[in-house]
Amino acid sequence: MNGTAMNGTAVGDDVKRPAMLASVRELSVRFASPQGAVHAVNGVSFDLAAGEVLGLIGESGSGKSVTLRALMRLLPESRTRIDGSIIVGGRNVMSLSRGLLNEYRGGTTAMIFQDPSLALDPVYTIGQQIAEAIRQHLDVSRSEARARALEALEMVRIPSARERLDSYPHEMSGGMRQRAMIALALAMKPRLILADEPTTALDATVQIQVLLLLRELQQQMGTSAIFVTHDLGVAAEICDRIAVMYAGRIVETGTATEVLRSPRHPYTQALMASTIHGSMRGQRIEGLAGSPPDLARLPAGCAFRARCTRAQAGCADAVPELLPHAGHAVACHVAQATQPLRAVPA
Amino acid sequence: MSTTVSPIALPAAAAAVTPGYWSQVLRRLLRDPVSVLCLVVLAAIVCGAVFAPWLAPGDPTVGSVIKRLKPVGTPGHLLGTDELGRDMLTRLLYGGRVSLLMGTVPVALALLIGGALGMVAGFAGGRVNAVIMRATDVLFAFPSVLLAVAIAGALGAGVGNTLLALTIVLIPPILRVAESATTQVRALDFIEAARATGADDFTILRVHVFSNVIGPVFVYATSLLSVAIIMAAGLSFIGLGAKPPTPEWGLMLNTLRNALYSQPLLAALPGVLIFAVSLCFNLLADGLRSAMEVR
């Protein structure tokens, strides 16, 4: 039954794109810890259309990876409290039964991990691992699963794919391992790809190859994707829309061009200023002073205000809401006050 | 940055056709002279035990009153005769059957039971882990030899009871190694990655945890073989293992005690075999350990 659902989406989506593939509302994630509850994600909402790529951007500890894992329900259930709703492909992920959850994981939504040398099992060959995952979802014979694994490896353009089926992860280069990881994720033709900093562990030269490959496959298959990254260059390259996260909240969101070209939130502006661009030779790189707030003891009001150069007295009063502002949405009291709301051009 | 995606070519490295992990381990093991020597010695002793009925010159339980305690090299009795006039070579060959069985079977059983319980404890964590590990700690509180003696003593002598006693003694250490190995593996990324492809707990345990844990646990179990051989012989020696007239090295060592002054070489023979087997298992376990560090 799973097989038909997956095949159906791959073909049908181009004709009648369902408005939203994924919809997250007021997602909040709290971890129990000896220091008290850690508020990792605090009321995150976003929508993702079919075929769209969303970039989640932020520092370490901003809640982007946790958001991704919540979408997969990979967070340890005993120590985590998750509120809000996550709808993917019309199904409420939070209330899926064990069996449906295992069908959803890998089948509807697939994940690409940061470090392929850790995310691939060292004692199995690439072919065995992909075939194992395929057999998890489709009732096919071993040889059929192997044939599909080969197809997946060819899809990600691994050279001499047939031989690579029988290679162990440690026999492959980092870039090739990440290609294998992508093949593993895409072998079941998911509707949503979750990529957790998929190029961070790779060489700079390989990074762009893997990114372009991902972008190409995503467009070919009409898959939606959520990219977690702290690299604005990566985000600019691959994302349709961007959501900047800080202290478990989305502080600015909009189309990639809008957000990167005219950032409104002081945090996004600071991030941009601290990034190295090729065109910035000779310029001084502005570091971002301070460190992210303790998620166990979030301050009242705007969480960024301690590091913000434009903070005012009012910033401590209330958590700024994410409001439409000059073409995209910003959660900042100062930005909202200084630049009056303009209607979003239709 | 061009937006058209050219076929991204990686250097087409000649993908080496690699043999499976275990055949690689075997190859490395066979390259180590000490391990090979141990394998040869063990193979000879095991073959002698297995083919005892065809190899042995006499009957292990039939003695002759007039030919008691003949020295090594007596014509017709290559390794002499014991205190009841039974052929020593015959009894040593047959004795290997019981001794090797009593040394290896408990390790295999403990590997099965302790390995499985340890994996479950390590993977499940929480309360399941606490129950299994605290129960193990209770068994661990006793010195292993003392525990074996106590269990064998309570159950009574006999090969079956010795097997049971030794199995119970060997489960806790194997369980602990399996548990700690599983706890380490469980936290690794590829377990989460497997979960993200839709694998259920049982599949993850069976496929990913098992194959990553079995190596260290197996090596540890082989190192226990030498201990188990000595413990089994020890139990027989003090009368809690094999019962006479069963030929068994530990038991033979005991019955030949009185001949230690008259025929020291003869009396030492079973001990030499116990020592040789134990040492070989020990060295082999070491060789296996280094051979398995391929990754």
PDB file of all heavy atoms in Angstrom, chain A residues 283-314:
ATOM      1  N   GLN A 283      37.540  43.805   3.290  1.00  0.00           N
ATOM      2  CA  GLN A 283      36.612  44.341   4.284  1.00  0.00           C
ATOM      3  C   GLN A 283      36.808  43.643   5.613  1.00  0.00           C
ATOM      4  O   GLN A 283      37.286  42.525   5.687  1.00  0.00           O
ATOM      5  CB  GLN A 283      35.166  44.101   3.834  1.00  0.00           C
ATOM      6  CG  GLN A 283      34.635  45.156   2.898  1.00  0.00           C
ATOM      7  CD  GLN A 283      33.191  44.887   2.561  1.00  0.00           C
ATOM      8  OE1 GLN A 283      32.415  44.537   3.432  1.00  0.00           O
ATOM      9  NE2 GLN A 283      32.854  45.012   1.301  1.00  0.00           N
ATOM     10  N   ARG A 284      36.399  44.339   6.651  1.00  0.00           N
ATOM     11  CA  ARG A 284      36.484  43.769   7.982  1.00  0.00           C
ATOM     12  C   ARG A 284      35.271  42.872   8.213  1.00  0.00           C
ATOM     13  O   ARG A 284      34.150  43.220   7.864  1.00  0.00           O
ATOM     14  CB  ARG A 284      36.474  44.909   8.998  1.00  0.00           C
ATOM     15  CG  ARG A 284      37.201  44.582  10.267  1.00  0.00           C
ATOM     16  CD  ARG A 284      37.063  45.753  11.222  1.00  0.00           C
ATOM     17  NE  ARG A 284      36.896  45.235  12.572  1.00  0.00           N
ATOM     18  CZ  ARG A 284      37.923  44.826  13.301  1.00  0.00           C
ATOM     19  NH1 ARG A 284      39.129  44.887  12.827  1.00  0.00           N
ATOM     20  NH2 ARG A 284      37.721  44.347  14.508  1.00  0.00           N
ATOM     21  N   ILE A 285      35.513  41.700   8.780  1.00  0.00           N
ATOM     22  CA  ILE A 285      34.391  40.810   9.071  1.00  0.00           C
ATOM     23  C   ILE A 285      33.910  41.071  10.489  1.00  0.00           C
ATOM     24  O   ILE A 285      34.685  41.027  11.441  1.00  0.00           O
ATOM     25  CB  ILE A 285      34.805  39.340   8.912  1.00  0.00           C
ATOM     26  CG1 ILE A 285      35.185  39.064   7.458  1.00  0.00           C
ATOM     27  CG2 ILE A 285      33.687  38.407   9.349  1.00  0.00           C
ATOM     28  CD1 ILE A 285      35.982  37.812   7.284  1.00  0.00           C
ATOM     29  N   GLU A 286      32.636  41.404  10.598  1.00  0.00           N
ATOM     30  CA  GLU A 286      32.074  41.697  11.902  1.00  0.00           C
ATOM     31  C   GLU A 286      31.654  40.399  12.580  1.00  0.00           C
ATOM     32  O   GLU A 286      30.780  39.695  12.095  1.00  0.00           O
ATOM     33  CB  GLU A 286      30.839  42.598  11.753  1.00  0.00           C
ATOM     34  CG  GLU A 286      31.127  43.929  11.080  1.00  0.00           C
ATOM     35  CD  GLU A 286      31.893  44.880  11.996  1.00  0.00           C
ATOM     36  OE1 GLU A 286      31.772  44.728  13.222  1.00  0.00           O
ATOM     37  OE2 GLU A 286      32.615  45.753  11.469  1.00  0.00           O
ATOM     38  N   GLY A 287      32.283  40.082  13.699  1.00  0.00           N
ATOM     39  CA  GLY A 287      31.831  38.923  14.467  1.00  0.00           C
ATOM     40  C   GLY A 287      30.577  39.294  15.231  1.00  0.00           C
ATOM     41  O   GLY A 287      30.273  40.476  15.418  1.00  0.00           O
ATOM     42  N   LEU A 288      29.852  38.294  15.647  1.00  0.00           N
ATOM     43  CA  LEU A 288      28.649  38.541  16.430  1.00  0.00           C
ATOM     44  C   LEU A 288      29.011  38.345  17.896  1.00  0.00           C
ATOM     45  O   LEU A 288      29.355  37.250  18.318  1.00  0.00           O
ATOM     46  CB  LEU A 288      27.536  37.567  16.004  1.00  0.00           C
ATOM     47  CG  LEU A 288      26.183  37.673  16.691  1.00  0.00           C
ATOM     48  CD1 LEU A 288      25.690  39.106  16.695  1.00  0.00           C
ATOM     49  CD2 LEU A 288      25.184  36.783  15.999  1.00  0.00           C
ATOM     50  N   ALA A 289      28.984  39.446  18.662  1.00  0.00           N
ATOM     51  CA  ALA A 289      29.419  39.386  20.057  1.00  0.00           C
ATOM     52  C   ALA A 289      28.440  38.573  20.898  1.00  0.00           C
ATOM     53  O   ALA A 289      27.269  38.450  20.567  1.00  0.00           O
ATOM     54  CB  ALA A 289      29.530  40.796  20.617  1.00  0.00           C
ATOM     55  N   GLY A 290      28.944  38.037  21.988  1.00  0.00           N
ATOM     56  CA  GLY A 290      28.096  37.307  22.918  1.00  0.00           C
ATOM     57  C   GLY A 290      27.810  35.903  22.439  1.00  0.00           C
ATOM     58  O   GLY A 290      28.328  35.449  21.424  1.00  0.00           O
ATOM     59  N   SER A 291      26.989  35.214  23.205  1.00  0.00           N
ATOM     60  CA  SER A 291      26.643  33.840  22.838  1.00  0.00           C
ATOM     61  C   SER A 291      25.136  33.653  22.980  1.00  0.00           C
ATOM     62  O   SER A 291      24.470  34.440  23.647  1.00  0.00           O
ATOM     63  CB  SER A 291      27.401  32.861  23.739  1.00  0.00           C
ATOM     64  OG  SER A 291      27.198  33.205  25.085  1.00  0.00           O
ATOM     65  N   PRO A 292      24.594  32.616  22.333  1.00  0.00           N
ATOM     66  CA  PRO A 292      23.143  32.409  22.399  1.00  0.00           C
ATOM     67  C   PRO A 292      22.684  32.226  23.835  1.00  0.00           C
ATOM     68  O   PRO A 292      23.462  31.759  24.670  1.00  0.00           O
ATOM     69  CB  PRO A 292      22.937  31.120  21.594  1.00  0.00           C
ATOM     70  CG  PRO A 292      24.171  30.957  20.780  1.00  0.00           C
ATOM     71  CD  PRO A 292      25.270  31.610  21.528  1.00  0.00           C
ATOM     72  N   PRO A 293      21.455  32.602  24.142  1.00  0.00           N
ATOM     73  CA  PRO A 293      20.979  32.530  25.525  1.00  0.00           C
ATOM     74  C   PRO A 293      20.827  31.079  26.000  1.00  0.00           C
ATOM     75  O   PRO A 293      20.715  30.164  25.191  1.00  0.00           O
ATOM     76  CB  PRO A 293      19.613  33.225  25.465  1.00  0.00           C
ATOM     77  CG  PRO A 293      19.187  33.062  24.050  1.00  0.00           C
ATOM     78  CD  PRO A 293      20.434  33.102  23.234  1.00  0.00           C
ATOM     79  N   ASP A 294      20.888  30.911  27.296  1.00  0.00           N
ATOM     80  CA  ASP A 294      20.680  29.611  27.920  1.00  0.00           C
ATOM     81  C   ASP A 294      19.219  29.198  27.719  1.00  0.00           C
ATOM     82  O   ASP A 294      18.306  29.879  28.182  1.00  0.00           O
ATOM     83  CB  ASP A 294      20.995  29.743  29.419  1.00  0.00           C
ATOM     84  CG  ASP A 294      20.886  28.412  30.134  1.00  0.00           C
ATOM     85  OD1 ASP A 294      20.468  27.433  29.488  1.00  0.00           O
ATOM     86  OD2 ASP A 294      21.230  28.375  31.331  1.00  0.00           O
ATOM     87  N   LEU A 295      19.030  28.096  27.024  1.00  0.00           N
ATOM     88  CA  LEU A 295      17.661  27.693  26.681  1.00  0.00           C
ATOM     89  C   LEU A 295      16.878  27.199  27.894  1.00  0.00           C
ATOM     90  O   LEU A 295      15.674  27.022  27.841  1.00  0.00           O
ATOM     91  CB  LEU A 295      17.693  26.620  25.592  1.00  0.00           C
ATOM     92  CG  LEU A 295      18.189  27.114  24.227  1.00  0.00           C
ATOM     93  CD1 LEU A 295      18.379  25.962  23.273  1.00  0.00           C
ATOM     94  CD2 LEU A 295      17.235  28.139  23.648  1.00  0.00           C
ATOM     95  N   ALA A 296      17.595  26.954  28.995  1.00  0.00           N
ATOM     96  CA  ALA A 296      16.881  26.570  30.212  1.00  0.00           C
ATOM     97  C   ALA A 296      16.365  27.812  30.936  1.00  0.00           C
ATOM     98  O   ALA A 296      15.465  27.728  31.756  1.00  0.00           O
ATOM     99  CB  ALA A 296      17.797  25.764  31.135  1.00  0.00           C
ATOM    100  N   ARG A 297      16.998  28.987  30.665  1.00  0.00           N
ATOM    101  CA  ARG A 297      16.579  30.218  31.336  1.00  0.00           C
ATOM    102  C   ARG A 297      16.452  31.323  30.304  1.00  0.00           C
ATOM    103  O   ARG A 297      17.249  32.263  30.248  1.00  0.00           O
ATOM    104  CB  ARG A 297      17.607  30.590  32.414  1.00  0.00           C
ATOM    105  CG  ARG A 297      17.164  30.162  33.804  1.00  0.00           C
ATOM    106  CD  ARG A 297      18.292  30.347  34.799  1.00  0.00           C
ATOM    107  NE  ARG A 297      19.000  29.108  35.014  1.00  0.00           N
ATOM    108  CZ  ARG A 297      20.262  28.882  34.672  1.00  0.00           C
ATOM    109  NH1 ARG A 297      20.956  29.819  34.101  1.00  0.00           N
ATOM    110  NH2 ARG A 297      20.831  27.718  34.902  1.00  0.00           N
ATOM    111  N   LEU A 298      15.433  31.218  29.452  1.00  0.00           N
ATOM    112  CA  LEU A 298      15.235  32.221  28.409  1.00  0.00           C
ATOM    113  C   LEU A 298      14.797  33.532  29.046  1.00  0.00           C
ATOM    114  O   LEU A 298      13.946  33.542  29.927  1.00  0.00           O
ATOM    115  CB  LEU A 298      14.165  31.743  27.428  1.00  0.00           C
ATOM    116  CG  LEU A 298      14.636  30.829  26.295  1.00  0.00           C
ATOM    117  CD1 LEU A 298      13.473  30.451  25.415  1.00  0.00           C
ATOM    118  CD2 LEU A 298      15.729  31.495  25.479  1.00  0.00           C
ATOM    119  N   PRO A 299      15.402  34.644  28.622  1.00  0.00           N
ATOM    120  CA  PRO A 299      15.003  35.935  29.175  1.00  0.00           C
ATOM    121  C   PRO A 299      13.596  36.315  28.712  1.00  0.00           C
ATOM    122  O   PRO A 299      13.118  35.815  27.689  1.00  0.00           O
ATOM    123  CB  PRO A 299      16.040  36.897  28.594  1.00  0.00           C
ATOM    124  CG  PRO A 299      16.507  36.240  27.335  1.00  0.00           C
ATOM    125  CD  PRO A 299      16.427  34.763  27.582  1.00  0.00           C
ATOM    126  N   ALA A 300      12.966  37.203  29.461  1.00  0.00           N
ATOM    127  CA  ALA A 300      11.666  37.715  29.028  1.00  0.00           C
ATOM    128  C   ALA A 300      11.890  38.628  27.830  1.00  0.00           C
ATOM    129  O   ALA A 300      12.979  39.162  27.643  1.00  0.00           O
ATOM    130  CB  ALA A 300      11.009  38.477  30.175  1.00  0.00           C
ATOM    131  N   GLY A 301      10.875  38.776  27.017  1.00  0.00           N
ATOM    132  CA  GLY A 301      10.991  39.666  25.872  1.00  0.00           C
ATOM    133  C   GLY A 301      11.791  39.025  24.762  1.00  0.00           C
ATOM    134  O   GLY A 301      11.862  37.813  24.635  1.00  0.00           O
ATOM    135  N   CYS A 302      12.438  39.884  23.951  1.00  0.00           N
ATOM    136  CA  CYS A 302      13.187  39.393  22.816  1.00  0.00           C
ATOM    137  C   CYS A 302      14.451  38.677  23.291  1.00  0.00           C
ATOM    138  O   CYS A 302      15.230  39.215  24.073  1.00  0.00           O
ATOM    139  CB  CYS A 302      13.563  40.575  21.906  1.00  0.00           C
ATOM    140  SG  CYS A 302      14.573  40.077  20.503  1.00  0.00           S
ATOM    141  N   ALA A 303      14.658  37.436  22.817  1.00  0.00           N
ATOM    142  CA  ALA A 303      15.787  36.638  23.291  1.00  0.00           C
ATOM    143  C   ALA A 303      17.110  37.164  22.770  1.00  0.00           C
ATOM    144  O   ALA A 303      18.167  36.872  23.315  1.00  0.00           O
ATOM    145  CB  ALA A 303      15.600  35.176  22.881  1.00  0.00           C
ATOM    146  N   PHE A 304      17.053  37.960  21.717  1.00  0.00           N
ATOM    147  CA  PHE A 304      18.284  38.424  21.085  1.00  0.00           C
ATOM    148  C   PHE A 304      18.758  39.749  21.679  1.00  0.00           C
ATOM    149  O   PHE A 304      19.851  40.209  21.370  1.00  0.00           O
ATOM    150  CB  PHE A 304      18.048  38.575  19.568  1.00  0.00           C
ATOM    151  CG  PHE A 304      19.271  38.958  18.791  1.00  0.00           C
ATOM    152  CD1 PHE A 304      20.392  38.122  18.772  1.00  0.00           C
ATOM    153  CD2 PHE A 304      19.323  40.147  18.082  1.00  0.00           C
ATOM    154  CE1 PHE A 304      21.528  38.479  18.062  1.00  0.00           C
ATOM    155  CE2 PHE A 304      20.461  40.509  17.364  1.00  0.00           C
ATOM    156  CZ  PHE A 304      21.563  39.659  17.355  1.00  0.00           C
ATOM    157  N   ARG A 305      17.973  40.342  22.560  1.00  0.00           N
ATOM    158  CA  ARG A 305      18.241  41.741  22.907  1.00  0.00           C
ATOM    159  C   ARG A 305      19.593  41.942  23.596  1.00  0.00           C
ATOM    160  O   ARG A 305      20.206  42.993  23.435  1.00  0.00           O
ATOM    161  CB  ARG A 305      17.094  42.311  23.742  1.00  0.00           C
ATOM    162  CG  ARG A 305      17.132  42.043  25.194  1.00  0.00           C
ATOM    163  CD  ARG A 305      16.062  42.789  25.952  1.00  0.00           C
ATOM    164  NE  ARG A 305      16.246  42.492  27.366  1.00  0.00           N
ATOM    165  CZ  ARG A 305      15.772  41.421  27.956  1.00  0.00           C
ATOM    166  NH1 ARG A 305      15.002  40.572  27.294  1.00  0.00           N
ATOM    167  NH2 ARG A 305      16.023  41.178  29.219  1.00  0.00           N
ATOM    168  N   ALA A 306      20.084  40.917  24.313  1.00  0.00           N
ATOM    169  CA  ALA A 306      21.367  41.080  25.000  1.00  0.00           C
ATOM    170  C   ALA A 306      22.511  41.269  24.009  1.00  0.00           C
ATOM    171  O   ALA A 306      23.521  41.875  24.325  1.00  0.00           O
ATOM    172  CB  ALA A 306      21.630  39.879  25.889  1.00  0.00           C
ATOM    173  N   ARG A 307      22.362  40.741  22.793  1.00  0.00           N
ATOM    174  CA  ARG A 307      23.431  40.852  21.809  1.00  0.00           C
ATOM    175  C   ARG A 307      23.117  41.884  20.734  1.00  0.00           C
ATOM    176  O   ARG A 307      23.899  42.085  19.807  1.00  0.00           O
ATOM    177  CB  ARG A 307      23.643  39.496  21.133  1.00  0.00           C
ATOM    178  CG  ARG A 307      23.997  38.392  22.102  1.00  0.00           C
ATOM    179  CD  ARG A 307      23.884  37.037  21.446  1.00  0.00           C
ATOM    180  NE  ARG A 307      25.009  36.722  20.597  1.00  0.00           N
ATOM    181  CZ  ARG A 307      25.075  35.615  19.842  1.00  0.00           C
ATOM    182  NH1 ARG A 307      24.061  34.760  19.851  1.00  0.00           N
ATOM    183  NH2 ARG A 307      26.115  35.381  19.106  1.00  0.00           N
ATOM    184  N   CYS A 308      21.958  42.485  20.854  1.00  0.00           N
ATOM    185  CA  CYS A 308      21.470  43.335  19.780  1.00  0.00           C
ATOM    186  C   CYS A 308      22.006  44.757  19.931  1.00  0.00           C
ATOM    187  O   CYS A 308      21.977  45.335  21.010  1.00  0.00           O
ATOM    188  CB  CYS A 308      19.937  43.353  19.796  1.00  0.00           C
ATOM    189  SG  CYS A 308      19.220  44.280  18.425  1.00  0.00           S
ATOM    190  N   THR A 309      22.534  45.298  18.826  1.00  0.00           N
ATOM    191  CA  THR A 309      23.083  46.652  18.877  1.00  0.00           C
ATOM    192  C   THR A 309      21.984  47.700  18.857  1.00  0.00           C
ATOM    193  O   THR A 309      22.218  48.856  19.194  1.00  0.00           O
ATOM    194  CB  THR A 309      24.015  46.899  17.677  1.00  0.00           C
ATOM    195  OG1 THR A 309      23.352  46.466  16.491  1.00  0.00           O
ATOM    196  CG2 THR A 309      25.317  46.136  17.840  1.00  0.00           C
ATOM    197  N   ARG A 310      20.783  47.280  18.459  1.00  0.00           N
ATOM    198  CA  ARG A 310      19.701  48.254  18.340  1.00  0.00           C
ATOM    199  C   ARG A 310      18.627  48.067  19.399  1.00  0.00           C
ATOM    200  O   ARG A 310      17.517  48.587  19.266  1.00  0.00           O
ATOM    201  CB  ARG A 310      19.073  48.154  16.940  1.00  0.00           C
ATOM    202  CG  ARG A 310      20.026  48.652  15.847  1.00  0.00           C
ATOM    203  CD  ARG A 310      19.694  48.064  14.504  1.00  0.00           C
ATOM    204  NE  ARG A 310      18.351  48.418  14.058  1.00  0.00           N
ATOM    205  CZ  ARG A 310      17.723  47.830  13.044  1.00  0.00           C
ATOM    206  NH1 ARG A 310      18.335  46.850  12.394  1.00  0.00           N
ATOM    207  NH2 ARG A 310      16.523  48.203  12.689  1.00  0.00           N
ATOM    208  N   ALA A 311      18.981  47.311  20.449  1.00  0.00           N
ATOM    209  CA  ALA A 311      17.968  47.010  21.462  1.00  0.00           C
ATOM    210  C   ALA A 311      17.514  48.273  22.178  1.00  0.00           C
ATOM    211  O   ALA A 311      18.302  49.187  22.410  1.00  0.00           O
ATOM    212  CB  ALA A 311      18.535  46.023  22.475  1.00  0.00           C
ATOM    213  N   GLN A 312      16.239  48.319  22.511  1.00  0.00           N
ATOM    214  CA  GLN A 312      15.680  49.455  23.229  1.00  0.00           C
ATOM    215  C   GLN A 312      14.999  48.947  24.479  1.00  0.00           C
ATOM    216  O   GLN A 312      14.891  47.737  24.686  1.00  0.00           O
ATOM    217  CB  GLN A 312      14.673  50.193  22.347  1.00  0.00           C
ATOM    218  CG  GLN A 312      15.322  50.781  21.099  1.00  0.00           C
ATOM    219  CD  GLN A 312      14.310  51.330  20.136  1.00  0.00           C
ATOM    220  OE1 GLN A 312      13.104  51.143  20.319  1.00  0.00           O
ATOM    221  NE2 GLN A 312      14.784  52.008  19.105  1.00  0.00           N
ATOM    222  N   ALA A 313      14.532  49.883  25.285  1.00  0.00           N
ATOM    223  CA  ALA A 313      13.909  49.514  26.557  1.00  0.00           C
ATOM    224  C   ALA A 313      12.718  48.585  26.343  1.00  0.00           C
ATOM    225  O   ALA A 313      12.522  47.615  27.074  1.00  0.00           O
ATOM    226  CB  ALA A 313      13.461  50.774  27.300  1.00  0.00           C
ATOM    227  N   GLY A 314      11.928  48.853  25.328  1.00  0.00           N
ATOM    228  CA  GLY A 314      10.713  48.078  25.091  1.00  0.00           C
ATOM    229  C   GLY A 314      10.962  46.628  24.731  1.00  0.00           C
ATOM    230  O   GLY A 314      10.064  45.795  24.825  1.00  0.00           O
TER     231      GLY A 314
END
